[in-house]
Amino acid sequence: MTDEVVGIDVGGTRIKSVLLTRSGDVLAEDTRPTPADASVRLGPALADIVTSLVERGGGESGGPGEVRPARVGIGVPGIVDEQRQVGVRSANLGWHDLDLQRAFGEHLSLPFVVGHDVRCGLLAEARLGAAQGCTEVLFVPLGTGVAAAQLVGGRLWHGRPWAGEIGHVVVDPDGDPCACGLRGCLETVASAGAIGRRWSVLTGRTGDAAEVARLVAAGDQQAISLWHNAIEALAAVISPVVAANGTQLVLVGGGLVRAGDLLLDPLREAVHARLAPAMRPAVAPASLGDRAGSLGAALLSLEAGGVA
């Protein structure tokens, strides 16, 4: 039995992938733009990624042809029915009720399994990263959108297909339209993408979330107000989840966590202010960065193949 597997994390803008050994060694990595019209073009792109990883990984491990991955794990965003392997809805990728086994299977020659990208990220953090040793974890990556995944009793919680879609909880009924059809969802206020967009509308200046964070640190009052509103909205949605599930660790990931204590300190304070002392969780940064989704997809494929 070969020891290698491929993990692929399909994002709204980028696809990140890794060739991983069963012992956890990374043989090769790849990052490339997500193709337009993903429901049609993603399958060929994934096949090309697997070929590229095998060629590079084989070269590093002793020569072409010596790496023959056994399985592929693929993490995709949006609402994912993991049992039926169906992409129910992805606003960022523009698909509805997509048969992922058929869409990808026509192009991949290896066995593969599809999972939710955020749950893949938490699986990696639980096995290899900042959630090791914790049994009750809420993972909240803040990037293009906002979603969540949970460990409950040390097990990854799957629930129904929309489990974890906290980004589509309404926090401002009069707020901006959301791709889900509602207005004022958390994702329109507190995602990295939303912070950049709201800053541009507010000031007429082009800027992303990283620029807003820099201005917050410099004392810009408009930036501070926008940042504060995003954090308060996050805390308002996270706190009831913590209370309901007895969460011991809120793990924050995604691009926005690069702001460090500028994000984590006020978020921790805002969450704790909404909870009794005995209920207050630790709030910490994820440790695997952009690798979490692809590493988790690889681990998912190992579990599916019975070789974890």
Side-chain angles (χ1 to χ4, degrees):
M1 179 185 295
T2 180
D3 281 342
E4 297 84 17
V5 292
V6 171
I8 302 175
D9 176 21
V10 179
T13 57
R14 294 183 300 161
I15 302 174
K16 297 173 286 293
S17 57
V18 62
L19 177 65
L20 191 73
T21 68
R22 183 178 177 182
S23 60
D25 295 323
V26 174
L27 299 181
E29 295 181 81
D30 183 275
T31 301
R32 62 182 66 185
T34 302
D37 194 8
S39 61
V40 175
R41 300 175 60 190
L42 191 54
L46 298 184
D48 185 66
I49 286 169
V50 173
T51 299
S52 176
L53 288 172
V54 168
E55 289 176 351
R56 282 184 281 152
E60 292 176 11
S61 64
E66 293 194 11
V67 171
R68 294 181 297 277
R71 302 182 65 86
V72 178
I74 306 166
V76 297
I79 299 174
V80 184
D81 187 330
E82 290 166 308
Q83 184 173 0
R84 294 192 301 131
Q85 297 281 277
V86 169
V88 178
R89 185 175 188 274
S90 174
N92 289 330
L93 296 178
W95 65 45
H96 296 267
D97 296 318
L98 180 65
D99 183 337
L100 299 170
Q101 282 288 325
R102 180 175 179 180
F104 300 160
E106 292 177 352
H107 305 279
L108 292 174
S109 59
L110 295 171
F112 66 94
V113 62
V114 180
H116 191 276
D117 59 346
V118 179
R119 287 190 279 275
C120 287
L122 177 54
L123 178 61
E125 290 289 348
R127 297 285 186 86
L128 306 171
Q132 292 181 83
C134 296
T135 60
E136 315 297 327
V137 181
L138 177 66
F139 177 49
V140 185
L142 305 173
T144 305
V146 179
Q150 293 186 89
L151 281 184
V152 178
R155 298 175 65 87
L156 198 62
W157 174 252
H158 294 272
R160 303 183 78 178
W162 53 86
E165 289 296 315
I166 65 169
H168 298 292
V169 174
V170 174
V171 294
D172 179 6
D174 298 320
D176 296 336
C178 181
C180 74
L182 298 174
R183 299 187 70 92
C185 292
L186 180 64
E187 193 166 286
T188 70
V189 176
S191 67
I195 289 172
R197 288 192 301 272
R198 288 164 66 86
W199 173 252
S200 297
V201 170
L202 178 66
T203 66
R205 290 181 276 167
T206 301
D208 58 11
E211 173 66 7
V212 175
R214 186 188 68 77
L215 291 168
V216 170
D220 184 289
Q221 289 304 307
Q222 286 182 302
I224 289 171
S225 177
L226 191 154
W227 195 256
H228 172 79
N229 289 341
I231 287 172
E232 287 295 313
L234 274 170
V237 173
I238 288 172
S239 300
V241 179
V242 168
N245 292 301
T247 302
Q248 67 186 125
L249 170 65
V250 175
L251 200 62
V252 184
L256 202 57
V257 82
R258 296 190 187 103
D261 291 342
L262 193 71
L263 170 70
L264 295 171
D265 286 349
L267 179 60
R268 185 180 300 109
E269 292 174 7
V271 169
H272 286 185
R274 289 168 166 81
L275 297 168
M279 301 164 63
R280 293 170 182 168
V283 178
S287 64
L288 298 176
D290 285 351
R291 274 181 156 185
S294 57
L295 288 171
L299 292 172
L300 182 70
S301 75
L302 284 171
E303 289 190 348
V307 290

